[in-house]
Amino acid sequence: DQQVKQNSPSLSVQEGRISILNCDYTNSMFDYFLWYKKYPAEGPTFLISISSIKDKNEDGRFTVFLNKSAKHLSLHIVPSQPGDSAVYFCAASIYYGNNRLAFGKGNQVVVIP
Amino acid sequence: ETGVTQTPRHLVMGMTNKKSLKCEQHLGHNAMYWYKQSAKKPLELMFVYSLEERVENNSVPSRFSPECPNSSHLFLHLHTLQPEDSALYLCASSQDISPGRTQPQHFGDGTRLSIL
């Protein structure tokens, strides 16, 4: 059974506007969450992470929000740029675990110039 | 230059062939992973190695055989594969997997495998 779910598989957004990607998880043991970005013909690259002791983590144009009670996190990209067009994967783990990541299926983002 | 290099990038093979996928990491990491990514499915963890020792095998069929001769190299030996094994195979590495705290995994660009 899928423990990390990313619905709305694709998103189109105008350059300069905000992109919001959502992720839900079912395992209440997860306490560390990561976002990866993937271009075609390349492997996923780590983007940003958040620990469950926080509800927000920001890195430049990327911000991740965590709502533990709802088992939901989101990634905000603002302003969106054409180079952000990629597939974004949400992943979750148990922080003091064994480094096993559970991945979502990914969201395709297209930023329109 | 990517820290994790996978070869070949593309592989087409028949069901009776034997081939190997290679992964090399230049990051000084101690843990390496094989993942399978099928169309419209999440990444599936196949194998985990820590300091050249296999620490996890996620119910992967025996037609997939991993090998980790040292902490920088990881192989996936393939034999008598099935059409449903066609997928993108990704290698990743991380600093280590124990005693604790999750670390981001660094991925290679993958091998696109097609079984005829």
Side-chain angles (χ1 to χ4, degrees), chain B:
Chain B
E1 180 190 338
T2 179
V4 180
T5 305
Q6 288 187 246
T7 54
R9 293 297 309 277
H10 301 273
L11 179 61
V12 179
M13 57 188 283
M15 288 190 284
T16 58
N17 292 156
K18 289 185 181 181
K19 295 285 184 184
S20 297
L21 310 185
K22 180 182 175 183
C23 176
E24 184 174 357
Q25 58 97 0
H26 313 276
L27 300 168
H29 288 167
N30 295 319
M32 296 187 78
Y33 311 77
W34 278 118
Y35 285 88
K36 175 183 179 182
Q37 187 182 21
S38 304
K40 300 185 180 179
K41 285 188 175 181
L43 272 72
E44 301 171 50
L45 181 64
M46 300 175 72
F47 300 105
V48 182
Y49 275 82
S50 174
L51 296 170
E52 303 136 50
E53 204 174 308
R54 190 190 311 181
V55 296
E56 189 156 329
N57 173 349
N58 275 354
S59 303
V60 179
S62 59
R63 56 186 185 268
F64 294 92
S65 174
E67 179 191 359
C68 187
N70 55 62
S71 58
S72 299
H73 293 85
L74 185 65
F75 295 89
L76 187 63
H77 304 300
L78 316 170
H79 64 98
T80 59
L81 296 193
Q82 304 298 311
E84 61 265 28
D85 296 324
S86 297
L88 179 68
Y89 289 84
L90 289 161
C91 172
S93 70
S94 68
Q95 186 60 53
D96 48 46
I97 61 168
S98 62
R101 70 175 189 91
T102 298
Q103 303 135 20
Q105 294 172 20
H106 299 257
F107 286 83
D109 290 338
T111 295
R112 175 69 61 186
L113 177 65
S114 298
I115 307 300
L116 300 179

Side-chain angles (χ1 to χ4, degrees), chain A residues 2-6 34 36 44 89-92 100-106, chain B residues 35 41-45 105 107:
Chain A
Q2 208 176 327
Q3 300 185 79
V4 177
K5 298 178 183 179
Q6 294 178 256
L34 308 90
Y36 281 81
F89 293 96
C90 173
R100 303 296 183 268
L101 300 180
F103 284 86
K105 292 183 182 180
Chain B
Y35 285 88
K41 285 188 175 181
L43 272 72
E44 301 171 50
L45 181 64
Q105 294 172 20
F107 286 83

